[in-house]
């Protein structure tokens, strides 16, 4: 769904939806009840639009996580053994309610995160699609395979792994939460969700919607709070069997260590520094559009953003000149204005980090073709940036900046493009633009990344595997085979035809 309303219309929807969401302190949802933290602790959250306090949020700790894990454990036996058809029905009702409240969710998301309505209107709807997609697979979730051999019938089946923890970040938080929570619930797991502390509101809307849709109490629990308290406690709780985590690579590493004593199964979707490789035989108009979209949409706060553009030397100067013209023309503005292309970034700390890369670019000898300080340095806005003349050893080419910042690197030939693309800690996505089919196949084969798009921006198709290699993650999401594999245990049963030999011991 495109943003199909005017700025004024979105502002008036937001005025009501945000007031409703923020009127009272935001509590946890544990066992179907809205509860404050057992310690009574709270924190304030601010809107990136104007830096004003948006509301007060319950700050969970180990006690609240324990209560939520118990609620999820109590609810597990019933939820996991309900017929898949029943789970399907309830999850479709969740999707219906998300659709009915898509504008509320989208506008609250914009005010809470600074993401723009032109993308958030679709993100809310994608959340509903995630629920529908996995709901439809719920009736088959327990299915396994038949693998007969000469003397045995082997068959496998799957059962939900247990109560799981879901920990999500602040960029497009609603859509990302549904992406994890929907398959977990469809598989029969119960969930304790710890949303990002910088963007708590739409997670609360999701848990309210789920209750209203008839999800039994305790099946989806939401505990707000900080990573080092609530998040850490969730990863350490013995009743939580698995952690699905989306966030930074460094946090993933901490979570793996925290979960080790209880042998947590982990699924990690982490950072990226994704290359888009533009060869001189590509459709350069389409390539330009895609390069712009994949770094300057969603404020550049996107794990699959193409934050390194590798341009073949023969077209480099022309392509970069066209690129810089477009970057200068980007419309920065209020996130609820449908004409806005770049909104404010999530938090002053994040703004500071993103802005710091301009100085890093200059210090390392690259050129800042577009950039400069924001008009109001106290705002949460940053100017979109384009760096050129970069080499792959520079921090602007190696580190995930997670903002509207693009680093251009020139290459001579296919081999050099692949070498530069792979010389990085991350391996989430890669984008290839070429008119040569053989080259497209060769480069796609040789790029070390979990997802490759040829002559395309990132277009998500839910059955396909989503995830990264190296520091970009462990495991894949998508389709029943990938997502259910994580949220379920597989059991094999082997039954003999009584035709095989049983070895005899102790016969003298
Ligand atoms: P983050 O790692 O700082 O935080 C993510 C979540 O982890 C938050 O809820 C936070 O409270 C929690 N957390 C922090 N420390 C924790 C700990 N010790 N134990 C348990 N939980 C803890 O990430 P962020 O800054 O919120 O999000 C941006 C990052 O997310 C980027 O690196 C981006 O690439 C990544 N991301 C990846 C994908 C993907 O699919 N690969 C998608 C979106 C975002």
């Amino acid at each position: 769904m495109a943003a199909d309303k005017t700025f004024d219309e979105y502002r008036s929807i937001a005025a009501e939806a945000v007031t409703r969401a923020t009127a009272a302190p935001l509590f946890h949802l544990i066992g179907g009840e809205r509860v404050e933290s057992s310690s009574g602790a709270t924190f304030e959250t601010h809107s990136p639009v104007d830096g004003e306090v948006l509301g007060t949020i319950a700050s969970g700790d180990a006690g609240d996580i324990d209560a939520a894990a118990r609620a999820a454990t109590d609810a597990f036996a019933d939820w996991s053994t309900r017929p898949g058809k029943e789970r399907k029905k309830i999850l479709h009702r969740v999707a219906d309610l998300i659709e009915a409240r898509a504008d509320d969710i989208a506008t609250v998301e914009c005010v809470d995160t600074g993401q723009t309505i032109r993308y958030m209107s679709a993100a809310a709807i994608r959340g509903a699609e995630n629920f529908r997609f996995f709901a439809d697979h719920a009736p088959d979730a327990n299915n396994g395979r038949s693998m007969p051999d000469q003397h045995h019938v082997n068959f496998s089946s799957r059962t939900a792994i247990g109560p799981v923890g879901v920990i999500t970040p602040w960029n497009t938080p609603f859509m990302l939460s549904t992406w994890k929570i929907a398959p977990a619930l469809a598989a029969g797991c119960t969930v304790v969700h710890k949303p990002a502390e910088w963007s708590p509101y739409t997670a609360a809307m999701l848990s309210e919607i789920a209750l209203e849709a008839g999800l039994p109490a305790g099946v989806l629990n939401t505990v707000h709070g900080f990573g080092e308290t609530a998040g850490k406690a969730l990863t350490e709780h013995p009743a939580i069997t698995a952690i699905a985590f989306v966030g930074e690579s460094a946090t993933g590493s901490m979570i793996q260590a925290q979960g080790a004593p209880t042998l947590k199964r982990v699924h990690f979707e982490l950072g990226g520094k994704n290359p888009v490789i533009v060869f001189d035989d590509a459709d350069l108009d389409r390539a330009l559009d895609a390069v712009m979209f994949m770094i300057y949409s969603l404020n550049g706060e996107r794990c699959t953003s193409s934050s390194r553009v590798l341009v073949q030397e023969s077209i480099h100067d022309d392509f970069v000149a066209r690129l810089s013209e477009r970057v200068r023309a980007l419309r920065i503005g209020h996130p609820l204005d449908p004409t806005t292309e770049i909104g404010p970034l999530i938090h002053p700390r994040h703004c500071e980090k993103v802005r710091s890369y301009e100085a890093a670019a200059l210090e390392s000898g690259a050129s800042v073709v577009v950039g400069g300080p924001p008009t109001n340095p106290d705002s949460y806005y940053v100017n979109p940036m384009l760096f050129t003349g970069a080499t792959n050893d520079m921090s602007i080419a190696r580190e995930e900046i997670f903002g509207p910042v693009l680093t251009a690197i020139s290459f001579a030939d296919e081999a050099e493009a692949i070498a530069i693309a792979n010389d990085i800690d991350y391996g989430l996505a890669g984008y290839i633009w070429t008119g040569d089919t053989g080259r497209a196949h060769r480069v796609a084969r040789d790029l070390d990344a979990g997802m490759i798009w040829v002559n395309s921006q990132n277009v998500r198709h839910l059955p396909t595997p989503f995830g990264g290699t190296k520091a970009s993650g462990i495991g894949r999401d998508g389709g029943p085979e990938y997502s259910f594999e994580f949220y379920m245990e597989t059991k094999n049963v082997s039954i003999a035809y009584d035709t095989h030999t049983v070895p005899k011991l102790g016969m003298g």
Side-chain angles (χ1 to χ4, degrees):
M1 188 175 81
D4 54 3
K5 299 183 175 59
T6 64
F7 187 11
D8 280 345
E9 284 168 334
Y10 280 121
R11 263 203 293 228
S12 99
I13 294 166
E16 272 189 38
V18 173
T19 305
R20 239 190 336 268
T22 60
L26 194 61
F27 284 171
H28 313 300
L29 182 89
I30 298 176
E33 302 289 333
R34 299 252 155 240
V35 290
E36 60 181 317
S37 288
S38 49
S39 67
T42 58
F43 64 96
E44 280 183 341
T45 184
H46 298 245
S47 170
V49 177
D50 51 15
E52 294 293 315
V53 172
L54 251 189
T56 303
I57 319 294
S59 182
D61 61 17
D64 304 303
I65 289 290
D66 184 53
R70 283 170 195 275
T73 304
D74 291 346
F76 179 70
D78 168 56
W79 181 247
S80 60
T81 54
R82 285 191 185 208
K85 270 201 272 186
E86 247 183 68
R87 292 202 299 272
K88 173 178 169 177
K89 220 159 124 189
I90 294 174
L91 298 182
H92 270 291
R93 276 207 298 268
V94 174
D96 294 342
L97 291 181
I98 292 174
E99 276 167 3
R101 296 200 196 140
D103 282 341
D104 284 0
I105 294 166
T107 54
V108 170
E109 193 88 304
C110 292
V111 173
D112 197 16
T113 66
Q115 292 284 3
T116 60
I117 194 69
R118 74 164 52 211
Y119 302 117
M120 288 310 97
S121 56
I125 294 298
R126 272 187 68 191
E129 282 167 8
N130 288 339
F131 268 93
R132 291 203 195 287
F133 177 83
F134 288 105
D136 286 340
H137 289 290
D140 301 328
N142 300 108
N143 286 0
R145 292 173 57 205
S146 160
M147 294 155 285
D149 74 358
Q150 187 186 354
H151 298 294
H152 297 78
V153 176
N154 287 282
F155 61 89
S156 66
S157 62
R158 293 190 297 205
T159 47
I161 189 171
V164 298
V166 172
I167 302 178
T168 46
W170 46 259
N171 66 315
T172 65
F174 183 80
M175 200 285 291
L176 283 173
S177 306
T178 62
W179 200 351
K180 296 288 172 189
I181 291 170
L185 298 179
C189 293
T190 53
V191 173
V192 178
H193 178 205
K194 208 298 283 171
E197 53 271 39
W198 286 353
S199 60
Y201 280 106
T202 53
M205 293 170 91
L206 177 63
S207 55
E208 260 159 33
I209 282 175
L211 259 191
E212 201 182 319
L215 200 71
V219 173
L220 173 60
N221 307 275
T222 306
V223 177
H224 299 283
F226 294 90
E228 53 275 21
T229 47
K232 180 167 183 285
L234 182 57
T235 63
E236 292 173 340
H237 200 286
I240 297 295
T241 51
I243 295 286
F245 169 73
V246 186
E248 284 186 18
S249 304
T251 315
S253 165
M254 279 193 276
I255 289 177
Q256 200 160 32
Q258 292 160 194
T262 49
L263 290 174
K264 289 278 183 293
R265 180 182 289 189
V266 293
H267 185 177
F268 287 165
E269 284 178 359
L270 309 175
K273 186 76 178 178
N274 311 294
V276 49
I277 307 175
V278 185
F279 289 98
D280 59 8
D281 56 12
D283 179 333
L284 296 178
D285 294 337
R286 283 172 72 80
L288 183 65
D289 288 342
V291 169
M292 285 295 297
F293 176 74
M294 279 313 302
I295 183 64
Y296 298 109
S297 61
L298 298 178
N299 296 344
E301 298 165 326
R302 178 208 279 259
C303 58
T304 52
S305 71
S306 57
S307 45
R308 291 185 292 158
V309 59
L310 278 46
V311 190
Q312 193 153 22
E313 23 202 48
S314 46
I315 54 160
H316 177 273
D317 292 355
D318 279 354
F319 192 80
V320 167
R322 290 178 69 194
L323 196 56
S324 53
E325 231 174 84
R326 296 275 290 269
V327 180
R328 278 192 201 98
L330 282 166
R331 283 189 297 258
I332 305 170
H334 194 289
L336 291 172
D337 181 346
T339 65
T340 295
E341 292 171 313
I342 296 195
L345 303 194
I346 181 86
H347 192 275
R349 256 202 337 259
H350 187 54
C351 286
E352 203 178 308
K353 174 189 156 181
V354 173
R355 288 174 188 163
S356 75
Y357 280 94
E358 185 164 336
L362 293 170
E363 269 162 37
S364 59
S367 305
V368 177
V369 176
V370 188
T375 328
N376 174 5
D378 293 330
S379 73
Y380 290 43
Y381 285 88
V382 303
N383 279 339
M385 295 174 218
L386 173 62
F387 305 144
T388 59
T391 51
N392 223 34
D393 54 338
M394 297 177 182
S395 63
I396 54 169
R398 305 196 75 76
E399 294 171 11
E400 186 186 45
I401 300 173
F402 220 56
V405 183
L406 178 60
T407 299
I409 303 172
S410 148
F411 68 88
D413 55 22
E414 199 175 303
E416 194 188 8
I418 292 166
I420 296 172
N422 286 344
D423 173 27
I424 193 96
D425 293 336
Y426 296 107
L428 189 58
Y431 305 87
I432 304 163
W433 285 87
T434 177
D436 179 334
T437 309
R439 167 181 276 164
H441 279 290
R442 287 192 301 276
V443 181
R445 177 196 63 199
D446 293 343
L447 284 186
D448 190 354
M451 296 170 287
I452 308 290
W453 277 272
V454 176
N455 295 335
S456 177
Q457 74 280 29
N458 164 352
V459 178
R460 180 88 182 102
H461 180 47
L462 281 173
T464 59
F466 186 104
T469 63
K470 302 193 278 188
S472 290
I474 297 175
R476 296 290 180 270
D477 261 323
E481 61 271 56
Y482 303 106
S483 294
F484 285 173
E485 199 57 40
F486 177 71
Y487 293 110
M488 304 187 85
E489 288 286 15
T490 299
K491 179 186 282 176
N492 186 66
V493 177
S494 185
I495 301 177
Y497 291 117
D498 292 342
T499 54
H500 72 295
T501 306
V502 181
K504 295 180 192 297
L505 295 182
M507 302 285 285

